Each structure stands twice: as structure tokens, then as C-alpha cells.
Amino acid sequence: MEEKSKSLNFIEQIIDKDIVERIEKKRLRFRFPPEPNGYLHIGHVKAACLNFNLGQRYNAPVNLRFDDTNPQNEEIKYVQAIKKDLKWLGYDWDKECYASDYFEQLFQWALFLIDKDMAYVDSQSSDVIAQQKGTPTKQGILSPNRSRSREDNHRLFIEMSKGVHPEGAHVLRAKIDMSSPNMLMRDPIIYRVLNKPHHRTGTKWKVYPMYDWTHGESDYIEQISHSLCTLEFKPHRELYNWFLEAIPTKDIVPKQTEFARLNLSFTVTSKRKLKKLVDENYVSGWDDPRMPTISGLRRRGYTPESLKQFVKTAGIAKRENVIELSLLEFCLRDHLNKIAPRVNAVLNPIKLTIINYNKSEEWLEGEINPEKPDLGYRKIPFSKNLYIEREDFKEEASKKFFRLTIGKEVRLKNGYIIKGESFERDKNGNITEVFCTYDKDSKSGSGSEASKRKVKGTLHWVSQKHALKIRVNIYDRLFFDPSPDHHKEKDFLDFVNPNSLKVTTAYVEPCVSDAKPGQCFQFQRLGYFNVDKESKMLDLVFNKTVGLRDNWSK
Ligand code: ATP
Ligand code: MG
């Protein structure tokens, strides 16, 4: 028991205690509550994992709730994208709920507050209301409308809801405490007039509820036992509880608990900011492979397993911290190593000709994935004319250079041992072709004495006449600053890396010819690459997902 509770996160510990003290296990219920004003990002993976894992652990339902109270920012396309991303992560929700489905109930409860003299219509401008709020150390000023009669409030609020009054003419405020040390308790606005159509309720409503009023009451309607939110909502908890006490409740009264948001270095995680990157064309869309959105990460080649492993490793904490981007990449590499088939590709080619090779071609064998020997072997075409990486040849090499040079031997992966003989240059002095000889008895896996000879380097290669030419997108970080949105003087957009995408061509062995978008490969010695959604049968496009090693730290 001791051991077990140690491995629980603090929220699980709270819930375990609640099961003993105040709530039946079968009445536990959780929710994941995105606002449909953008695509989900890596931070949401943490919140979704947290809630859905609790659902699994306690065998309790988890609702997907769209917190849709700002019609000017919300769209049905975001609802659809959010559902798609959660399904891709492997999560299934119990009910699909919308705060907008509760607009009528929320309206009725607002009238209830008015009739109990717990809410009033304020007809001052938002500026004046803000000025009267005071500061944490200076108490606020009571609005002259605070003493309006219940009857007048009731009538005015109904008129507001019907569009009798223009935007900004009135708001409905909870009547709480203008001297509270918690500024959020100083008669917060709970409704504003908004003459905007809503993606689900159309033009029915001319008033829309504010987040604080909506969230807790929605939790209550859905009978959510534990409402988990990020730390910035901690000061809102007093208000959350006030609103739940204000309405007539029986059944379960939800409890709010806060956890630390996920912050990732070199990344912004705010839908508003991500939307800016999209709207101002810094990226090609919400699913640009450089974006920290779930759809961007998916297109880049991230797997649900790697994202969940990342969130698990980062942990659920009570205090904010920044997680290194390299941890995310570590989790990705770790998973791709297990699942990605190996192939050879050459990104920066130079011709290699084997002068004593006289066959027209032959087919060699290479392991599909050494982590999974059961998968067996693939056939790799070999011939007299190959491509190797330009960086793998040097005419004069230092002692530490274990790749190809004149007079030295290296192995061609899954093939033969070769020896550098000579090379040619063009008139600009660039090397255009390297010539070598091969040891015909040294074929990998043939069992011969020559095949067992040890040489220092092994190079990847492709056969010129068999290789497919592909387009490759190579990405660098989208921001060149570790915390782009934490600069006082500067905007996060000032830190966008202008060189975050490089498009190049490469040659790859032919076994990938019918690879479909989303499929992932390890290009040996280069990294993991996946097929982009724009890829077509004869026009293959790959994204570099991540290198084999962490190169950033250097
Ligand atoms: P954004 O500022 O990106 O719009 P948000 O908090 O307004 O984020 P919501 O759609 O309201 O986004 O969030 C849905 C849920 O995901 C909430 O419970 C929220 O607390 C949580 N969440 C959002 N961002 C993060 C993050 N970076 N880390 C952990 N949880 C997050
Ligand atoms: Mg938000």
C-alpha cells in the first residue's frame, strides 16, 4: 500500500482519499474541456492524458466537453479537428457535451440569482466597471446599479437576452464582495450582450455566459466529480465554489483541482499564438510539421505512444516548470527505433563507381528492423554505380575519419568491403565521382573469411539506376529562443526561426515506392523520416521527423 501510493500522482492521491471519505467510486466522472477556438497542442495532450488515464484507472466515464461560450472565436472545424486528434491519441469519451447545450439552464439559473438578489444588471461601460474594481490592496467601489430592484434586473436581463439592448449597454454581474482580496470575487461579470451567431445555437441568444459562470455549472450538470484544470485557475476556485453554492444543488458538487501546465522549451503552447502563426503565414497551416499541435506532430511523424510516454515522463506536478524539447524527441526516437523499418537513403549524393564490379546488378539482403528480427529481411538492389553521402568521402583524412578515403577500406552496409582508389573533380574543384574496388568475397552474411574481416567504417548507399528520387523537408526548430513568449519587450513572433524549413531532394532504395502518407522509416545513419500527406506514388515527399541523436545540445 505504501509502495503503491508513492507511485500515484497527487491527483490520484486526492481521489483515493475522496473515495474513502466522501464519494462512491462508481460516481467518479471526469471531463476534458477544450474550447473549440483552435487545434489541440502538446499541452492539451497532457490534460487529455491526465483525465482519460484517470477514467481508465478508476473505470469511470470521461466526457469530452466543448467549452463554447465565445462564438466570435469558435468554429465547427475546430470541433472536428479536436475530435480527430483525441481519437488518434487513442481516447474514447463517454459523452460529447457542449456548454452551449446548457445555455437555457444557465440562463434560468441566472434569473434565479437575480431573484435571490445575488446578481444585478450593470449599465456602466466596461471601462468604468474595470476602474471601480480597485486593486488587491484597495477595495472596489460599489456600482450605482448594484441596488437596482430585482424586478428591474429580471426584466432587463430578459430584454438583453432578446436583443433589445445593443452590445455593451448592459452586463449581468454576480453580487459578491467588492472588497474581497480576491479580485475575481469583486462582482464578476457573468453575462454580456453579444450579437454574434453561435456555431451551434445560431442566432437564438443575444447574451452569452462568461467562462467562470459556465464552467462549474456545466461540471455540475454533467455530474463531474473532479474538475481538473491548470494552475492559472487556482484563484478562480473560490468563485467556482461560490457559483455552485448559489444554485440549488443536490447530487454531486464538483471539486476543482489544479495542476501545472506543460511548458516546452523553444515552443509556444497557446492556441491564440498558434493561430497567429497560421493566420500570418509563418507556417503552412495548423498541421504544419513544425507546429506543436497534435496534427502537426502527427504529420511530422510523432506517434501517440511517443506523446503519451513524453507526458508520463514529464509527470503531473503542482508547480510550473519548463520541459526540454529534447525529452520529447528522446521519447519519439525511442519508439520509432522499435517500429520503423530501415532503409538506405542518400541526402547529399556523390557518385561512387566500383571499377572491378562486372555484374549488371544483384540483390542483397538487409534487416527490416534489427529490434524485430521476426520481420526478416528486405531485398536491396546493388550495382556498379552507387551514390554515397558526400560527407562520407575525403581525399585526405585525419586519423579520426573512419569513412571512405583513398587507399582505405570501408564496408558498404549489407554489401561488400570496398577500397578507395581515385576521384574526379569538375572545373570548379568539386569532387564529382569517386572510384573504388571491391572485394568480391566479402559480402555481408556470406560466412566467408573475407566477410568476417573487420573494417572501421560502414557507409549507407543506394544504387543509382534503382534509386527513387524523393523530396525531403528538413526542419529546424520553429523558434530560435528557448522561451519565445517570455520576453517583456518583444513579441514571440520576433523569435521565429527564418530557416526552420529546408527542402531538398534525396535518393532512396526502391522498397519505399508505394509508401503511404504517415508511414515512417529509419534512413540508416540519418534519422527517422515519414511520408508527408502531400506525397504521391511517383512524387514521394518525406518529412524528417527527428535525427538519430540529439544534435541540438551542441
Ligand atoms: P490555450 O491558451 O492554448 O487556448 P486553454 O487553456 O485556453 O489553452 P482550453 O481549450 O481551454 O485551452 O484547454 C482545455 C484543457 O486543456 C483545459 O483543462 C486546460 O487547462 C488544458 N490545457 C491547456 N493548455 C495546457 C498546457 N499547456 N498544459 C496542460 N494542460 C493544458
Ligand atoms: Mg482558452
PDB file of all heavy atoms in Angstrom, residues 243-275:
ATOM      1  N   PHE A 243     -20.304  29.971  -7.117  1.00  0.00           N
ATOM      2  CA  PHE A 243     -21.361  29.744  -8.119  1.00  0.00           C
ATOM      3  C   PHE A 243     -22.119  28.441  -7.839  1.00  0.00           C
ATOM      4  O   PHE A 243     -23.328  28.363  -8.035  1.00  0.00           O
ATOM      5  CB  PHE A 243     -20.772  29.708  -9.536  1.00  0.00           C
ATOM      6  CG  PHE A 243     -20.429  31.063 -10.100  1.00  0.00           C
ATOM      7  CD1 PHE A 243     -19.285  31.257 -10.867  1.00  0.00           C
ATOM      8  CD2 PHE A 243     -21.272  32.160  -9.886  1.00  0.00           C
ATOM      9  CE1 PHE A 243     -18.970  32.501 -11.402  1.00  0.00           C
ATOM     10  CE2 PHE A 243     -20.963  33.418 -10.424  1.00  0.00           C
ATOM     11  CZ  PHE A 243     -19.813  33.579 -11.167  1.00  0.00           C
ATOM     12  N   LEU A 244     -21.379  27.417  -7.404  1.00  0.00           N
ATOM     13  CA  LEU A 244     -22.064  26.140  -7.145  1.00  0.00           C
ATOM     14  C   LEU A 244     -22.910  26.207  -5.883  1.00  0.00           C
ATOM     15  O   LEU A 244     -23.949  25.554  -5.782  1.00  0.00           O
ATOM     16  CB  LEU A 244     -21.058  24.999  -7.065  1.00  0.00           C
ATOM     17  CG  LEU A 244     -20.501  24.566  -8.432  1.00  0.00           C
ATOM     18  CD1 LEU A 244     -19.379  23.551  -8.275  1.00  0.00           C
ATOM     19  CD2 LEU A 244     -21.601  23.996  -9.321  1.00  0.00           C
ATOM     20  N   GLU A 245     -22.484  27.032  -4.932  1.00  0.00           N
ATOM     21  CA  GLU A 245     -23.295  27.195  -3.724  1.00  0.00           C
ATOM     22  C   GLU A 245     -24.529  28.042  -3.994  1.00  0.00           C
ATOM     23  O   GLU A 245     -25.544  27.918  -3.311  1.00  0.00           O
ATOM     24  CB  GLU A 245     -22.472  27.834  -2.608  1.00  0.00           C
ATOM     25  CG  GLU A 245     -21.782  26.799  -1.746  1.00  0.00           C
ATOM     26  CD  GLU A 245     -20.721  27.418  -0.854  1.00  0.00           C
ATOM     27  OE1 GLU A 245     -20.946  28.558  -0.376  1.00  0.00           O
ATOM     28  OE2 GLU A 245     -19.671  26.763  -0.665  1.00  0.00           O
ATOM     29  N   ALA A 246     -24.427  28.900  -5.003  1.00  0.00           N
ATOM     30  CA  ALA A 246     -25.508  29.850  -5.272  1.00  0.00           C
ATOM     31  C   ALA A 246     -26.735  29.187  -5.896  1.00  0.00           C
ATOM     32  O   ALA A 246     -27.843  29.687  -5.766  1.00  0.00           O
ATOM     33  CB  ALA A 246     -25.001  30.964  -6.188  1.00  0.00           C
ATOM     34  N   ILE A 247     -26.536  28.102  -6.591  1.00  0.00           N
ATOM     35  CA  ILE A 247     -27.675  27.461  -7.254  1.00  0.00           C
ATOM     36  C   ILE A 247     -28.174  26.291  -6.412  1.00  0.00           C
ATOM     37  O   ILE A 247     -27.442  25.774  -5.572  1.00  0.00           O
ATOM     38  CB  ILE A 247     -27.292  26.959  -8.674  1.00  0.00           C
ATOM     39  CG1 ILE A 247     -26.119  25.973  -8.599  1.00  0.00           C
ATOM     40  CG2 ILE A 247     -26.980  28.129  -9.598  1.00  0.00           C
ATOM     41  CD1 ILE A 247     -25.910  25.160  -9.849  1.00  0.00           C
ATOM     42  N   PRO A 248     -29.434  25.905  -6.621  1.00  0.00           N
ATOM     43  CA  PRO A 248     -29.945  24.776  -5.838  1.00  0.00           C
ATOM     44  C   PRO A 248     -29.326  23.468  -6.335  1.00  0.00           C
ATOM     45  O   PRO A 248     -29.538  23.098  -7.487  1.00  0.00           O
ATOM     46  CB  PRO A 248     -31.451  24.804  -6.118  1.00  0.00           C
ATOM     47  CG  PRO A 248     -31.632  25.608  -7.357  1.00  0.00           C
ATOM     48  CD  PRO A 248     -30.433  26.467  -7.539  1.00  0.00           C
ATOM     49  N   THR A 249     -28.515  22.827  -5.519  1.00  0.00           N
ATOM     50  CA  THR A 249     -27.893  21.566  -5.944  1.00  0.00           C
ATOM     51  C   THR A 249     -28.303  20.433  -5.024  1.00  0.00           C
ATOM     52  O   THR A 249     -28.536  20.624  -3.836  1.00  0.00           O
ATOM     53  CB  THR A 249     -26.352  21.645  -5.907  1.00  0.00           C
ATOM     54  OG1 THR A 249     -25.956  22.090  -4.618  1.00  0.00           O
ATOM     55  CG2 THR A 249     -25.806  22.567  -6.964  1.00  0.00           C
ATOM     56  N   LYS A 250     -28.435  19.279  -5.612  1.00  0.00           N
ATOM     57  CA  LYS A 250     -28.430  18.035  -4.841  1.00  0.00           C
ATOM     58  C   LYS A 250     -27.311  17.228  -5.489  1.00  0.00           C
ATOM     59  O   LYS A 250     -26.440  17.798  -6.117  1.00  0.00           O
ATOM     60  CB  LYS A 250     -29.793  17.341  -4.913  1.00  0.00           C
ATOM     61  CG  LYS A 250     -30.435  17.341  -6.288  1.00  0.00           C
ATOM     62  CD  LYS A 250     -31.871  16.829  -6.189  1.00  0.00           C
ATOM     63  CE  LYS A 250     -32.658  16.876  -7.470  1.00  0.00           C
ATOM     64  NZ  LYS A 250     -32.267  16.257  -8.650  1.00  0.00           N
ATOM     65  N   ASP A 251     -27.258  15.969  -5.395  1.00  0.00           N
ATOM     66  CA  ASP A 251     -26.248  15.181  -6.094  1.00  0.00           C
ATOM     67  C   ASP A 251     -24.825  15.689  -5.830  1.00  0.00           C
ATOM     68  O   ASP A 251     -24.571  16.400  -4.880  1.00  0.00           O
ATOM     69  CB  ASP A 251     -26.499  15.174  -7.614  1.00  0.00           C
ATOM     70  CG  ASP A 251     -27.901  14.686  -7.946  1.00  0.00           C
ATOM     71  OD1 ASP A 251     -28.401  13.829  -7.192  1.00  0.00           O
ATOM     72  OD2 ASP A 251     -28.464  15.180  -8.925  1.00  0.00           O
ATOM     73  N   ILE A 252     -23.958  15.337  -6.751  1.00  0.00           N
ATOM     74  CA  ILE A 252     -22.539  15.611  -6.549  1.00  0.00           C
ATOM     75  C   ILE A 252     -22.186  17.051  -6.891  1.00  0.00           C
ATOM     76  O   ILE A 252     -22.565  17.560  -7.944  1.00  0.00           O
ATOM     77  CB  ILE A 252     -21.711  14.656  -7.423  1.00  0.00           C
ATOM     78  CG1 ILE A 252     -21.844  13.251  -6.837  1.00  0.00           C
ATOM     79  CG2 ILE A 252     -20.263  15.105  -7.511  1.00  0.00           C
ATOM     80  CD1 ILE A 252     -20.993  12.242  -7.485  1.00  0.00           C
ATOM     81  N   VAL A 253     -21.489  17.703  -5.981  1.00  0.00           N
ATOM     82  CA  VAL A 253     -20.986  19.042  -6.273  1.00  0.00           C
ATOM     83  C   VAL A 253     -19.512  18.888  -6.654  1.00  0.00           C
ATOM     84  O   VAL A 253     -18.696  18.426  -5.859  1.00  0.00           O
ATOM     85  CB  VAL A 253     -21.145  19.972  -5.056  1.00  0.00           C
ATOM     86  CG1 VAL A 253     -20.582  21.347  -5.383  1.00  0.00           C
ATOM     87  CG2 VAL A 253     -22.613  20.060  -4.671  1.00  0.00           C
ATOM     88  N   PRO A 254     -19.184  19.249  -7.887  1.00  0.00           N
ATOM     89  CA  PRO A 254     -17.823  19.024  -8.378  1.00  0.00           C
ATOM     90  C   PRO A 254     -16.762  19.764  -7.571  1.00  0.00           C
ATOM     91  O   PRO A 254     -17.054  20.791  -6.931  1.00  0.00           O
ATOM     92  CB  PRO A 254     -17.856  19.570  -9.806  1.00  0.00           C
ATOM     93  CG  PRO A 254     -19.283  19.735 -10.143  1.00  0.00           C
ATOM     94  CD  PRO A 254     -20.049  19.875  -8.878  1.00  0.00           C
ATOM     95  N   LYS A 255     -15.564  19.244  -7.626  1.00  0.00           N
ATOM     96  CA  LYS A 255     -14.458  19.834  -6.899  1.00  0.00           C
ATOM     97  C   LYS A 255     -13.346  20.162  -7.890  1.00  0.00           C
ATOM     98  O   LYS A 255     -12.981  19.325  -8.714  1.00  0.00           O
ATOM     99  CB  LYS A 255     -13.960  18.792  -5.895  1.00  0.00           C
ATOM    100  CG  LYS A 255     -13.121  19.334  -4.790  1.00  0.00           C
ATOM    101  CD  LYS A 255     -12.960  18.279  -3.716  1.00  0.00           C
ATOM    102  CE  LYS A 255     -11.482  18.003  -3.495  1.00  0.00           C
ATOM    103  NZ  LYS A 255     -11.224  17.051  -2.427  1.00  0.00           N
ATOM    104  N   GLN A 256     -12.859  21.382  -7.814  1.00  0.00           N
ATOM    105  CA  GLN A 256     -11.794  21.799  -8.745  1.00  0.00           C
ATOM    106  C   GLN A 256     -10.411  21.544  -8.146  1.00  0.00           C
ATOM    107  O   GLN A 256     -10.156  21.896  -6.999  1.00  0.00           O
ATOM    108  CB  GLN A 256     -11.934  23.287  -9.070  1.00  0.00           C
ATOM    109  CG  GLN A 256     -10.779  23.823  -9.914  1.00  0.00           C
ATOM    110  CD  GLN A 256     -10.906  25.305 -10.242  1.00  0.00           C
ATOM    111  OE1 GLN A 256     -11.950  25.793 -10.661  1.00  0.00           O
ATOM    112  NE2 GLN A 256      -9.808  26.033 -10.043  1.00  0.00           N
ATOM    113  N   THR A 257      -9.545  20.954  -8.923  1.00  0.00           N
ATOM    114  CA  THR A 257      -8.155  20.763  -8.513  1.00  0.00           C
ATOM    115  C   THR A 257      -7.249  21.211  -9.653  1.00  0.00           C
ATOM    116  O   THR A 257      -7.542  20.954 -10.819  1.00  0.00           O
ATOM    117  CB  THR A 257      -7.879  19.278  -8.198  1.00  0.00           C
ATOM    118  OG1 THR A 257      -8.813  18.861  -7.202  1.00  0.00           O
ATOM    119  CG2 THR A 257      -6.470  19.072  -7.671  1.00  0.00           C
ATOM    120  N   GLU A 258      -6.155  21.884  -9.289  1.00  0.00           N
ATOM    121  CA  GLU A 258      -5.289  22.454 -10.317  1.00  0.00           C
ATOM    122  C   GLU A 258      -3.983  21.682 -10.427  1.00  0.00           C
ATOM    123  O   GLU A 258      -3.458  21.192  -9.433  1.00  0.00           O
ATOM    124  CB  GLU A 258      -4.961  23.921  -9.995  1.00  0.00           C
ATOM    125  CG  GLU A 258      -6.169  24.799  -9.729  1.00  0.00           C
ATOM    126  CD  GLU A 258      -6.633  24.730  -8.272  1.00  0.00           C
ATOM    127  OE1 GLU A 258      -5.856  24.279  -7.419  1.00  0.00           O
ATOM    128  OE2 GLU A 258      -7.778  25.137  -7.986  1.00  0.00           O
ATOM    129  N   PHE A 259      -3.481  21.621 -11.634  1.00  0.00           N
ATOM    130  CA  PHE A 259      -2.164  21.021 -11.886  1.00  0.00           C
ATOM    131  C   PHE A 259      -1.365  21.963 -12.792  1.00  0.00           C
ATOM    132  O   PHE A 259      -1.938  22.855 -13.423  1.00  0.00           O
ATOM    133  CB  PHE A 259      -2.306  19.631 -12.536  1.00  0.00           C
ATOM    134  CG  PHE A 259      -2.967  19.665 -13.885  1.00  0.00           C
ATOM    135  CD1 PHE A 259      -2.206  19.702 -15.048  1.00  0.00           C
ATOM    136  CD2 PHE A 259      -4.351  19.679 -13.999  1.00  0.00           C
ATOM    137  CE1 PHE A 259      -2.816  19.743 -16.305  1.00  0.00           C
ATOM    138  CE2 PHE A 259      -4.968  19.727 -15.247  1.00  0.00           C
ATOM    139  CZ  PHE A 259      -4.204  19.758 -16.397  1.00  0.00           C
ATOM    140  N   ALA A 260      -0.056  21.740 -12.849  1.00  0.00           N
ATOM    141  CA  ALA A 260       0.803  22.649 -13.627  1.00  0.00           C
ATOM    142  C   ALA A 260       0.652  22.411 -15.117  1.00  0.00           C
ATOM    143  O   ALA A 260       0.564  21.276 -15.563  1.00  0.00           O
ATOM    144  CB  ALA A 260       2.263  22.456 -13.219  1.00  0.00           C
ATOM    145  N   ARG A 261       0.630  23.504 -15.875  1.00  0.00           N
ATOM    146  CA  ARG A 261       0.585  23.343 -17.326  1.00  0.00           C
ATOM    147  C   ARG A 261       1.913  22.777 -17.815  1.00  0.00           C
ATOM    148  O   ARG A 261       2.925  22.875 -17.146  1.00  0.00           O
ATOM    149  CB  ARG A 261       0.369  24.618 -18.143  1.00  0.00           C
ATOM    150  CG  ARG A 261      -0.101  25.808 -17.605  1.00  0.00           C
ATOM    151  CD  ARG A 261      -0.089  27.051 -18.499  1.00  0.00           C
ATOM    152  NE  ARG A 261      -0.361  26.932 -19.890  1.00  0.00           N
ATOM    153  CZ  ARG A 261      -1.559  27.049 -20.437  1.00  0.00           C
ATOM    154  NH1 ARG A 261      -2.603  27.237 -19.681  1.00  0.00           N
ATOM    155  NH2 ARG A 261      -1.700  26.987 -21.728  1.00  0.00           N
ATOM    156  N   LEU A 262       1.850  22.243 -18.988  1.00  0.00           N
ATOM    157  CA  LEU A 262       3.059  21.778 -19.628  1.00  0.00           C
ATOM    158  C   LEU A 262       3.643  22.941 -20.428  1.00  0.00           C
ATOM    159  O   LEU A 262       2.963  23.519 -21.278  1.00  0.00           O
ATOM    160  CB  LEU A 262       2.737  20.624 -20.576  1.00  0.00           C
ATOM    161  CG  LEU A 262       3.921  20.110 -21.354  1.00  0.00           C
ATOM    162  CD1 LEU A 262       4.689  19.100 -20.521  1.00  0.00           C
ATOM    163  CD2 LEU A 262       3.472  19.454 -22.640  1.00  0.00           C
ATOM    164  N   ASN A 263       4.874  23.294 -20.121  1.00  0.00           N
ATOM    165  CA  ASN A 263       5.594  24.281 -20.930  1.00  0.00           C
ATOM    166  C   ASN A 263       6.765  23.573 -21.570  1.00  0.00           C
ATOM    167  O   ASN A 263       7.457  22.797 -20.917  1.00  0.00           O
ATOM    168  CB  ASN A 263       6.116  25.417 -20.055  1.00  0.00           C
ATOM    169  CG  ASN A 263       5.003  26.112 -19.309  1.00  0.00           C
ATOM    170  OD1 ASN A 263       4.039  26.587 -19.904  1.00  0.00           O
ATOM    171  ND2 ASN A 263       5.103  26.153 -17.985  1.00  0.00           N
ATOM    172  N   LEU A 264       6.980  23.847 -22.822  1.00  0.00           N
ATOM    173  CA  LEU A 264       8.021  23.153 -23.568  1.00  0.00           C
ATOM    174  C   LEU A 264       8.997  24.187 -24.103  1.00  0.00           C
ATOM    175  O   LEU A 264       8.571  25.212 -24.656  1.00  0.00           O
ATOM    176  CB  LEU A 264       7.339  22.405 -24.719  1.00  0.00           C
ATOM    177  CG  LEU A 264       8.104  21.321 -25.442  1.00  0.00           C
ATOM    178  CD1 LEU A 264       8.547  20.220 -24.479  1.00  0.00           C
ATOM    179  CD2 LEU A 264       7.222  20.716 -26.538  1.00  0.00           C
ATOM    180  N   SER A 265      10.300  23.934 -23.961  1.00  0.00           N
ATOM    181  CA  SER A 265      11.266  24.911 -24.446  1.00  0.00           C
ATOM    182  C   SER A 265      11.178  25.052 -25.972  1.00  0.00           C
ATOM    183  O   SER A 265      10.767  24.114 -26.661  1.00  0.00           O
ATOM    184  CB  SER A 265      12.688  24.509 -24.028  1.00  0.00           C
ATOM    185  OG  SER A 265      13.076  23.312 -24.645  1.00  0.00           O
ATOM    186  N   PHE A 266      11.533  26.205 -26.463  1.00  0.00           N
ATOM    187  CA  PHE A 266      11.528  26.514 -27.907  1.00  0.00           C
ATOM    188  C   PHE A 266      10.138  26.407 -28.545  1.00  0.00           C
ATOM    189  O   PHE A 266      10.018  26.232 -29.759  1.00  0.00           O
ATOM    190  CB  PHE A 266      12.512  25.606 -28.675  1.00  0.00           C
ATOM    191  CG  PHE A 266      13.946  25.830 -28.285  1.00  0.00           C
ATOM    192  CD1 PHE A 266      14.559  25.022 -27.340  1.00  0.00           C
ATOM    193  CD2 PHE A 266      14.669  26.872 -28.843  1.00  0.00           C
ATOM    194  CE1 PHE A 266      15.880  25.246 -26.963  1.00  0.00           C
ATOM    195  CE2 PHE A 266      15.992  27.097 -28.479  1.00  0.00           C
ATOM    196  CZ  PHE A 266      16.592  26.282 -27.536  1.00  0.00           C
ATOM    197  N   THR A 267       9.086  26.495 -27.715  1.00  0.00           N
ATOM    198  CA  THR A 267       7.741  26.233 -28.220  1.00  0.00           C
ATOM    199  C   THR A 267       6.760  27.211 -27.581  1.00  0.00           C
ATOM    200  O   THR A 267       6.948  27.594 -26.431  1.00  0.00           O
ATOM    201  CB  THR A 267       7.327  24.791 -27.813  1.00  0.00           C
ATOM    202  OG1 THR A 267       8.360  23.904 -28.198  1.00  0.00           O
ATOM    203  CG2 THR A 267       6.039  24.373 -28.459  1.00  0.00           C
ATOM    204  N   VAL A 268       5.739  27.612 -28.323  1.00  0.00           N
ATOM    205  CA  VAL A 268       4.628  28.309 -27.677  1.00  0.00           C
ATOM    206  C   VAL A 268       3.443  27.352 -27.630  1.00  0.00           C
ATOM    207  O   VAL A 268       3.189  26.614 -28.574  1.00  0.00           O
ATOM    208  CB  VAL A 268       4.223  29.629 -28.383  1.00  0.00           C
ATOM    209  CG1 VAL A 268       5.384  30.609 -28.397  1.00  0.00           C
ATOM    210  CG2 VAL A 268       3.727  29.399 -29.796  1.00  0.00           C
ATOM    211  N   THR A 269       2.764  27.337 -26.495  1.00  0.00           N
ATOM    212  CA  THR A 269       1.574  26.489 -26.384  1.00  0.00           C
ATOM    213  C   THR A 269       0.422  27.368 -25.941  1.00  0.00           C
ATOM    214  O   THR A 269       0.061  27.401 -24.776  1.00  0.00           O
ATOM    215  CB  THR A 269       1.769  25.348 -25.371  1.00  0.00           C
ATOM    216  OG1 THR A 269       2.282  25.893 -24.177  1.00  0.00           O
ATOM    217  CG2 THR A 269       2.684  24.283 -25.897  1.00  0.00           C
ATOM    218  N   SER A 270      -0.113  28.072 -26.880  1.00  0.00           N
ATOM    219  CA  SER A 270      -1.314  28.857 -26.649  1.00  0.00           C
ATOM    220  C   SER A 270      -2.004  28.876 -28.006  1.00  0.00           C
ATOM    221  O   SER A 270      -1.378  29.223 -29.010  1.00  0.00           O
ATOM    222  CB  SER A 270      -0.945  30.261 -26.197  1.00  0.00           C
ATOM    223  OG  SER A 270      -1.882  31.187 -26.705  1.00  0.00           O
ATOM    224  N   LYS A 271      -3.256  28.488 -28.009  1.00  0.00           N
ATOM    225  CA  LYS A 271      -3.969  28.420 -29.286  1.00  0.00           C
ATOM    226  C   LYS A 271      -3.976  29.775 -29.977  1.00  0.00           C
ATOM    227  O   LYS A 271      -3.869  29.866 -31.192  1.00  0.00           O
ATOM    228  CB  LYS A 271      -5.410  27.938 -29.058  1.00  0.00           C
ATOM    229  CG  LYS A 271      -5.515  26.435 -28.937  1.00  0.00           C
ATOM    230  CD  LYS A 271      -6.950  26.021 -28.731  1.00  0.00           C
ATOM    231  CE  LYS A 271      -7.252  25.915 -27.272  1.00  0.00           C
ATOM    232  NZ  LYS A 271      -8.639  25.962 -26.917  1.00  0.00           N
ATOM    233  N   ARG A 272      -4.107  30.833 -29.170  1.00  0.00           N
ATOM    234  CA  ARG A 272      -4.159  32.165 -29.744  1.00  0.00           C
ATOM    235  C   ARG A 272      -2.871  32.476 -30.516  1.00  0.00           C
ATOM    236  O   ARG A 272      -2.901  33.000 -31.630  1.00  0.00           O
ATOM    237  CB  ARG A 272      -4.372  33.179 -28.611  1.00  0.00           C
ATOM    238  CG  ARG A 272      -4.721  34.568 -29.047  1.00  0.00           C
ATOM    239  CD  ARG A 272      -4.960  35.462 -27.827  1.00  0.00           C
ATOM    240  NE  ARG A 272      -3.844  35.410 -26.868  1.00  0.00           N
ATOM    241  CZ  ARG A 272      -2.695  36.070 -27.011  1.00  0.00           C
ATOM    242  NH1 ARG A 272      -2.498  36.835 -28.059  1.00  0.00           N
ATOM    243  NH2 ARG A 272      -1.741  35.975 -26.096  1.00  0.00           N
ATOM    244  N   LYS A 273      -1.749  32.116 -29.901  1.00  0.00           N
ATOM    245  CA  LYS A 273      -0.470  32.383 -30.569  1.00  0.00           C
ATOM    246  C   LYS A 273      -0.259  31.454 -31.757  1.00  0.00           C
ATOM    247  O   LYS A 273       0.261  31.865 -32.792  1.00  0.00           O
ATOM    248  CB  LYS A 273       0.671  32.249 -29.565  1.00  0.00           C
ATOM    249  CG  LYS A 273       0.665  33.400 -28.581  1.00  0.00           C
ATOM    250  CD  LYS A 273       1.756  33.296 -27.559  1.00  0.00           C
ATOM    251  CE  LYS A 273       1.612  34.457 -26.574  1.00  0.00           C
ATOM    252  NZ  LYS A 273       2.244  34.189 -25.298  1.00  0.00           N
ATOM    253  N   LEU A 274      -0.661  30.221 -31.605  1.00  0.00           N
ATOM    254  CA  LEU A 274      -0.507  29.287 -32.728  1.00  0.00           C
ATOM    255  C   LEU A 274      -1.357  29.748 -33.909  1.00  0.00           C
ATOM    256  O   LEU A 274      -0.964  29.637 -35.063  1.00  0.00           O
ATOM    257  CB  LEU A 274      -0.897  27.863 -32.292  1.00  0.00           C
ATOM    258  CG  LEU A 274       0.024  27.257 -31.219  1.00  0.00           C
ATOM    259  CD1 LEU A 274      -0.503  25.905 -30.750  1.00  0.00           C
ATOM    260  CD2 LEU A 274       1.448  27.112 -31.739  1.00  0.00           C
ATOM    261  N   LYS A 275      -2.526  30.300 -33.588  1.00  0.00           N
ATOM    262  CA  LYS A 275      -3.410  30.783 -34.646  1.00  0.00           C
ATOM    263  C   LYS A 275      -2.731  31.930 -35.403  1.00  0.00           C
ATOM    264  O   LYS A 275      -2.857  32.051 -36.622  1.00  0.00           O
ATOM    265  CB  LYS A 275      -4.742  31.239 -34.039  1.00  0.00           C
ATOM    266  CG  LYS A 275      -5.771  31.652 -35.070  1.00  0.00           C
ATOM    267  CD  LYS A 275      -7.171  31.739 -34.461  1.00  0.00           C
ATOM    268  CE  LYS A 275      -8.227  31.947 -35.526  1.00  0.00           C
ATOM    269  NZ  LYS A 275      -8.097  33.206 -36.256  1.00  0.00           N
TER     270      LYS A 275
END
